[in-house]
Amino acid sequence: MRYFVGIDIGSTAIKISVADENKNLVGHKISASGSMFYKYAQEALGELLRELGIEEKEVVYTVATGYGRKLFKEADENVSEITANAIGAQQAAKSYGEIKTIINIGGQDSKAISLDAEGNVVNFAMNDRCAAGTGKFLDVVAMNLEIGVDELSDYHFKSVGTPLSISSTCAVFAESEIIGLLGNNHSVEDIVSGVHYSIAKRIVKLVKRIGVKENVYFDGGPALNDGLVSAIENELGHKIFVPEYPQITTSYGAAVLACDAFMCE
Amino acid sequence: MHTEHTIETPHQRQNRHKAMEAISVINALKEDFKFPIQSMGYFYDLFETVYCRHEPLHEGKVKIGTMCIQIPSEIIYALDGVPIRLCNGFYTDDEIGSDLLPQKSCPLVKATVGWFASDNFSDKPDITFSPTTCDQKTKAGAIIESFGHTVIDVGFPRTKESEESHHYWRESVKSFAVKLSKFQGKKLTRSNLESAIKKIGYAQSLYHKLTEFRKNKAVPILGVDMFLVTNAFFFDKIDEWIGAVEKLVAELEQRASAGVNVAGKASPRIVYTGSPPIFPNYKIPLIIEQSDAVIVADETCSSNRMFNDMVAVDEWNLYDMIDSVSDKYLKACTCPIFTQNDDRIRRIIQLVRSYSGDGVIYQAFAGCQVYEMEQRSVLAAMEREGIPILYIESDYSPSQHGQLTTRVEAFVESLKNRKRMKK
Ligand code: SF4
Ligand code: SF4
């Protein structure tokens, strides 16, 4: 068998996807990137292949993407995360429909990508200036509220009052706002839904800059948070599609690209 | 793994956005200041009911929309209508209105137009009267009419002093009364107008009692709370408003004799003037009072100008009463739409003197020509009088918060310094 590897070296995590000749995802792995991310990337890849029972020589083409892509010398090719994200989204949503807009919330930034009918990137907008509206921000919020990140969604849907919006766009100030709200005995549920809506409003503003076309695809770790998904849907006024493994769309796109590149050779 | 969610309708989204705007201001009023006033609870609840829960207050009543303070509520109440003042402070609605009006329009007008464009009211006016005051309000009436709402213009003169103006306005008010009486199928009589004038007069007298306390050295109530109380008069059931303010007066009396001071020891006393702060756009008043200053008086049409002057009736017969009502809305008005406006300057100076103001903050909405233009004469007059003044332009967007805070803080600190130097 021949396999194709996509490896996405991001600022907070390394994500690896393995695809078969039919571009199906056969396995994936997420590990922290840390300081020695080149070494970690190699280790993680070795581990993943072992888990899947794939021999190294069966991997015939590797594409790297993400901030650290140029440092992964073993790759046959590298590609920007925007392109990889677009390809991955198209493929992951194949049974759902044609994707025209992608929302990606990463650990440190958020992006909106707009695609044409062929799946080419025609426009994109990015916010990497502040943490409010990123995965990192949700971590900070959960920590302040003393709940797990994976609990945020439950709290969101339990909110019965008016969502309490967080006005600061800076994560540091937002933190003190949250502490203030807690101090005044506001419910954690309303704070959580307020945070989600604040993020959703900001991301929808970003998407509107490039124009919202359906279908809309949402990926990145925070897409696992169903409360945030619902908040974005409400702000957008449209349904959005979330793939089964939203964290790895970009590496999956790189694997799909590896497959295409190999087949063309 | 991901469940299907029902997605909000545009109206539900708009309501949520407005609720989120409203609750953050209500919470700030409730929680950010020392010595909260118990009887303010009525007003916090009222705004939450109307703007967070979107519950109607006047079911089964005929609601008469007014585009400005110049439409006499005395006549509306006399004819069994509920006046609803449509001046709007929501950024959510301002954004909707932005798509329909030129970019550099007044946010208040954009918000009112946006409100009608979305047709999302908990207490929708059955008919609206629009005085031809500033250009934007005047044109907004026609736009709102194009959405299928009944809007009736009420001619308003733009010079205040001339005999012709007085005559014209008295005729305008009469014709307004005739139209409304037809609409309501009810006659305006000596007795129903007299009791409406007296009721509003009583409401005004309560307002005056509240403001008296603000002359004290220890200020028992914040300016932001005062704005909320007067804003409630835009739409509240008048009898309940009166009941709540009576309680507030009683509580302030106690606080005044106990010397409760909501401000700090060195807090400068501010007279606020300019474009009206309308809930929840309390951006500048909140910044001022969160910056250790206290608003002791205001010259704005959402507050002081609405209550300041009483109807002065000589003869309690119908026509004399209508004329007296008209005069209150023209002669006493200090709106900047008039050609000459020395009255406004005099009013500001008088407020500074009688409330021991340390400085004036003049806020104009970006896009409000008349307030922007009157800035020069007001600034010059304050300079002549030796009254420090800060001029700020702002809109409804939440984005300029940091910048505005820095400017206000600098002004407040300069006032504190001045006070120290004097001593
Ligand atoms: S500023 Fe003048 S024209 Fe505008 S709402 Fe107030 S009274 Fe009316
Ligand atoms: S703030 Fe200015 S433009 Fe806006 S309604 Fe008042 S007078 Fe008109």
Side-chain angles (χ1 to χ4, degrees), chain B residues 68-70 85 87 133-134 137 276 301 305 335-337 371:
Chain B
C68 236
I69 46 170
Q70 278 85 357
R85 175 142 166 225
C87 294
T133 49
C134 74
K137 283 258 156 123
C301 67
R305 209 184 294 154
C335 179
I337 54 144
Y371 273 115

Side-chain angles (χ1 to χ4, degrees), chain B residues 87-273:
Chain B
C87 294
N88 187 349
F90 280 89
Y91 180 55
T92 303
D93 294 332
D94 169 20
E95 277 191 302
I96 298 172
S98 293
D99 293 338
L100 301 154
L101 293 174
Q103 241 205 334
K104 210 180 178 287
S105 303
C106 163
L108 186 164
V109 175
K110 281 193 282 187
T112 302
V113 169
W115 204 1
F116 277 98
S118 57
D119 195 26
N120 186 11
F121 293 86
S122 52
D123 277 303
K124 191 180 175 182
D126 297 282
I127 188 172
T128 291
F129 288 91
S130 169
T132 56
T133 49
C134 74
D135 286 358
Q136 299 188 44
K137 283 258 156 123
T138 305
K139 300 303 281 182
I143 295 175
I144 290 167
E145 192 157 35
S146 75
F147 303 147
H149 184 74
T150 315
V151 179
I152 297 182
D153 290 333
V154 179
F156 191 77
R158 299 192 73 168
T159 52
K160 192 156 62 175
E161 274 73 27
S162 74
E163 262 315 302
E164 296 91 308
S165 285
H166 292 171
H167 180 71
Y168 170 61
W169 177 238
R170 283 178 169 190
E171 290 307 304
S172 263
V173 171
K174 268 175 217 149
S175 130
F176 154 73
V178 169
K179 284 172 192 154
L180 186 62
S181 132
K182 269 207 196 115
F183 184 78
Q184 293 289 69
K186 191 179 159 119
K187 264 185 113 125
L188 190 64
T189 63
R190 218 198 87 170
S191 86
N192 62 24
L193 185 56
E194 181 180 338
S195 55
I197 291 176
K198 287 191 169 149
K199 184 175 276 187
I200 292 197
Y202 179 62
Q204 286 179 280
S205 73
L206 288 173
Y207 168 82
H208 289 141
K209 281 191 186 155
L210 291 181
T211 56
E212 273 307 302
F213 296 117
R214 303 166 86 190
K215 292 182 177 164
N216 296 359
K217 210 158 174 223
V219 188
I221 183 167
L222 287 165
V224 281
D225 276 338
M226 280 299 294
F227 280 129
L228 198 73
V229 171
T230 52
N231 248 188
F233 201 73
F234 281 27
F235 58 84
D236 197 9
K237 294 178 179 151
I238 185 163
D239 294 317
E240 314 221 339
W241 187 91
I242 286 176
V245 178
E246 281 170 342
K247 290 204 184 89
L248 185 57
V249 169
E251 190 175 346
L252 291 196
E253 232 151 56
Q254 284 171 11
R255 284 162 76 95
S257 51
V260 175
N261 188 5
V262 291
K265 279 216 172 75
S267 298
R269 303 164 66 94
I270 303 292
V271 172
Y272 191 96
T273 184

Side-chain angles (χ1 to χ4, degrees), chain B residues 271 273-274 341 344-346 348-349 359-364 370-393 407 411:
Chain B
V271 172
T273 184
N341 207 3
R344 178 166 171 234
I345 290 171
R346 269 196 293 277
I348 298 170
I349 295 170
V360 173
I361 292 185
Y362 182 151
Q363 190 259 172
V370 281
Y371 273 115
E372 286 171 323
M373 288 178 83
E374 246 182 48
Q375 177 230 140
R376 288 198 56 192
S377 57
V378 173
L379 258 57
M382 293 307 124
E383 198 169 325
R384 272 199 305 277
E385 296 291 322
I387 300 168
I389 180 166
L390 172 70
Y391 173 70
I392 310 177
E393 228 182 76
R407 293 198 54 198
F411 181 66

Side-chain angles (χ1 to χ4, degrees), chain A residues 57-220:
Chain A
K57 62 174 189 291
E58 284 180 289
V59 175
V60 292
Y61 210 97
T62 301
V63 172
T65 185
Y67 292 122
R69 63 179 181 268
K70 296 201 171 128
L71 294 159
F72 194 74
K73 302 271 177 353
E74 281 79 359
D76 297 293
E77 197 180 324
N78 68 59
V79 63
S80 79
E81 57 269 29
I82 308 273
T83 305
N85 199 343
I87 294 169
Q90 287 282 335
Q91 192 66 28
K94 211 151 209 167
S95 60
Y96 177 75
E98 208 169 87
I99 297 301
K100 292 279 180 57
T101 309
I102 299 171
I103 294 172
N104 169 282
I105 302 186
Q108 310 273 29
D109 62 14
S110 44
K111 302 189 216 49
I113 307 171
S114 127
L115 309 178
D116 65 11
E118 275 79 56
N120 301 310
V121 174
V122 286
N123 201 354
F124 85 97
M126 183 158 152
N127 175 9
D128 56 2
R129 279 178 312 168
C130 65
T134 65
K136 181 96 202 148
F137 185 58
L138 286 169
D139 294 344
V140 171
V141 168
M143 199 188 74
N144 280 311
L145 298 175
E146 295 177 346
I147 61 176
V149 183
D150 51 352
E151 288 177 282
L152 288 171
S153 182
D154 284 345
Y155 278 94
H156 177 93
F157 290 112
K158 278 192 206 128
S159 156
V160 284
T162 302
L164 302 169
S165 53
I166 306 295
S167 58
S168 309
T169 45
C170 163
V172 179
F173 290 139
E175 220 179 323
S176 66
E177 251 184 80
I178 290 168
I179 292 165
L181 287 171
L182 282 175
N184 284 310
N185 293 322
H186 289 291
S187 86
V188 175
E189 287 82 358
D190 295 347
I191 300 175
V192 169
S193 70
V195 167
H196 286 160
Y197 277 113
S198 307
I199 296 177
K201 268 192 195 170
R202 212 161 292 141
I203 194 88
V204 166
K205 225 182 186 172
L206 194 72
V207 183
K208 285 196 170 148
R209 258 171 37 200
I210 58 160
V212 186
K213 285 177 295 173
E214 290 197 272
N215 298 309
V216 182
Y217 182 97
F218 177 26
D219 68 7

Side-chain angles (χ1 to χ4, degrees), chain A residues 186 197 223 226 233-235, chain B residues 3 5 8 13 16-17 31:
Chain A
H186 289 291
Y197 277 113
D226 211 25
E233 288 183 327
N234 282 336
E235 285 298 330
Chain B
T3 33
H5 312 125
E8 292 169 337
R13 177 167 62 240
R16 176 176 50 77
H17 282 171
E31 294 160 2

